[in-house]
Amino acid sequence: MASLNQVLTFLGVVVSIKCILDLVSFISLYCRPSRLHQFLHGSEPYALITGASDGIGKAIAKELYSRGFNVILHGRNEQKLQAVEAEFRKGGSKAVKLWVADATSPEVDFDKAIKQWKDLHITLVIHNVGSARPKSGRYVATYIPKRPHPHVLCDRLDSISEKELMDDIYRNSLFPFFFTRAILPKLRQASGPAEMLYIGSLAGERPMPHLTPYGATKSFLKQFSGSIGLDERSGIPSNVSTVYVNVGSVVSNSHKIEANLFSPSSEIYAKSLVDKIGCGRKVLVPYLPHALQFWPTNVIPEWMLDRFVKQAMEEEMKLWKKD
Ligand SMILES: NC(=O)c1ccc[n+]([C@@H]2O[C@H](COP(=O)([O-])OP(=O)(O)OC[C@H]3O[C@@H](n4cnc5c(N)ncnc54)[C@H](OP(=O)(O)O)[C@@H]3O)[C@@H](O)[C@H]2O)c1
């Protein structure tokens, strides 16, 4: 019979090994050279980026373009996309193609879109389109009876119209869902590895006030990315892998704040993300300061975390209101 001392020693060894392995895995992610080249195969490899007319999507597209990919830029505003195309062409000679489709629309014809790329060798898809940003009018003062301050700024589920909720669900979840379904057979035809990245958010990891629909749509994406990845590896494994990207605060068109270490510009963020493409993780926090920022969320007590999150969101709401 093992003594209490032996049991505690055994547990100590197991926990220490786990901590050392986690640390090694953590450090290796941020120190290892990029493996992006795995996806640069075939004579003319293409990367397709949704929501690429601005913000993080545009920055990722630009980074991939500068590293040798031809790109397909998706957006809803053709003129804005054409301006991005012109900007890219000044800095390189690879092909730039455009795909205009409103991600909130259930009418998007994915099969038709894919037919037009039948001769293109697509090896990377970045499912980036998404937004937490309310449309004007959503963050109006809401009257809550019997409260000391009757007019409280809030964004409760019942203060958002059904139409707007459906738009959020389509853009953030269903558009990538149906697009994945349509493009998978094409990716499987690639002559080497192909990968799809799903741009998520910390809001999809844990509950956050004022972001109920957004957080739920990003959780959907995380579950979906993981399951699709497993599907592709079961039976006869395919060449397609998936990665869910957990994003923290990044300066972008819909998040206009002053850049700092924990809120990098879209360009700095995109560089760190593109460097990690091909790293083999199923869930990824590509930007090191975000990883350091997220780490305590796994260890501090729930009540304390809720308090921090609430405070942080109140600050964020003030910024949104100012805009
Ligand atoms: N920025 C952050 O702090 C942050 C944090 C966590 C997660 N994220 C995630 O990162 C991704 C990119 O966000 P971002 O901050 O870069 O946003 P952004 O600056 O607003 O850019 C969003 C891009 O998506 C396009 N888009 C928006 N709605 C669309 C629609 N209905 N149909 C087609 N295209 C549409 C926009 O087109 P237009 O140019 O026409 O507007 C733009 O190209 C999102 O998935 C977001 O949830 C961002």
Side-chain angles (χ1 to χ4, degrees):
M1 181 81 174
S3 68
L4 181 64
N5 235 346
Q6 284 170 320
V7 171
L8 289 179
T9 307
F10 175 74
L11 284 179
V13 169
V14 170
V15 171
S16 303
I17 291 175
K18 164 92 174 86
C19 288
I20 291 168
L21 290 178
D22 285 354
L23 190 65
V24 169
S25 153
F26 183 86
I27 294 171
S28 75
L29 175 65
Y30 299 99
C31 297
R32 232 169 26 187
S34 170
R35 294 186 185 171
L36 181 70
H37 55 85
Q38 287 175 57
F39 304 101
L40 273 168
H41 51 80
S43 59
E44 289 295 338
Y46 273 79
L48 189 155
I49 305 95
T50 69
S53 55
D54 222 321
I56 299 173
K58 176 183 166 188
I60 295 173
K62 202 169 187 177
E63 192 64 36
L64 288 169
Y65 188 72
S66 73
R67 298 206 200 181
F69 283 86
N70 301 284
V71 288
I72 302 173
L73 309 176
H74 159 263
R76 59 184 160 182
N77 179 332
E78 191 164 9
Q79 278 170 344
K80 209 169 162 181
L81 279 173
Q82 281 166 348
V84 175
E85 177 186 7
E87 191 183 322
F88 279 27
R89 284 196 194 281
K90 271 190 220 152
S93 57
K94 291 282 163 188
V96 181
K97 303 207 178 282
L98 307 182
W99 175 32
V100 182
D102 180 356
T104 63
S105 166
E107 309 297 326
V108 176
D109 189 339
F110 293 107
D111 292 333
K112 188 172 163 204
I114 284 161
K115 264 190 204 132
Q116 62 177 319
W117 309 318
K118 70 177 178 349
D119 298 324
L120 306 185
H121 187 65
I122 301 176
T123 63
L124 273 179
V125 177
I126 318 290
H127 296 276
N128 162 78
V129 69
S131 179
R133 190 61 208 261
K135 284 186 188 142
S136 57
R138 196 158 122 181
Y139 280 78
V140 288
T142 305
Y143 182 73
I144 303 183
K146 296 184 192 145
R147 287 283 171 89
H149 306 291
H151 288 89
V152 179
L153 190 77
C154 71
D155 183 36
R156 304 236 158 103
L157 193 63
D158 53 321
S159 71
I160 310 168
S161 73
E162 255 183 61
K163 160 83 177 90
E164 211 171 334
L165 286 171
M166 278 316 291
D167 283 354
D168 280 353
I169 293 168
Y170 252 95
R171 182 189 52 239
N172 296 357
S173 296
L174 295 181
F175 182 82
F177 182 85
F178 287 115
F179 183 39
T180 297
R181 177 177 177 273
I183 200 153
L184 255 175
K186 175 152 186 68
L187 293 181
R188 290 193 199 112
Q189 288 164 8
S191 57
E195 190 155 272
M196 286 192 282
L197 285 89
Y198 295 84
I199 303 298
S201 163
L202 185 59
E205 298 293 307
R206 54 155 297 104
M208 288 195 182
H210 308 295
L211 288 177
T212 299
Y214 181 67
T217 57
K218 291 296 185 184
S219 291
F220 173 96
L221 221 50
K222 182 177 183 185
Q223 178 71 14
F224 175 59
S225 165
S227 304
I228 285 286
L230 280 180
D231 272 352
E232 292 304 302
R233 286 206 301 280
S234 56
I236 300 170
S238 86
N239 58 329
V240 182
S241 52
T242 59
V243 185
Y244 174 81
V245 184
N246 188 355
V247 185
S249 175
V250 177
V251 181
S252 69
N253 190 35
S254 60
H255 196 219
K256 289 183 181 131
I257 56 168
E258 211 154 292
N260 60 48
L261 179 66
F262 293 106
S263 297
S265 66
S266 289
E267 289 72 23
I268 290 178
Y269 185 79
K271 191 175 174 335
S272 64
L273 170 60
V274 168
D275 277 340
K276 312 289 178 309
I277 294 178
C279 69
R281 308 285 163 111
K282 300 300 147 216
V283 176
L284 176 65
V285 181
Y287 181 64
L288 179 60
H290 282 167
L292 298 173
Q293 204 176 27
F294 296 173
W295 179 78
T297 62
N298 300 318
V299 288
I300 67 173
E302 192 76 17
W303 63 267
M304 206 186 272
L305 195 55
D306 280 350
R307 194 178 288 180
F308 283 147
V309 167
K310 190 168 163 285
Q311 254 172 21
M313 281 311 297
E314 296 304 335
E315 291 304 313
E316 186 83 351
M317 299 287 291
K318 279 185 207 153
L319 289 173
W320 284 3
K321 206 181 145 214
K322 248 197 248 164
D323 252 15

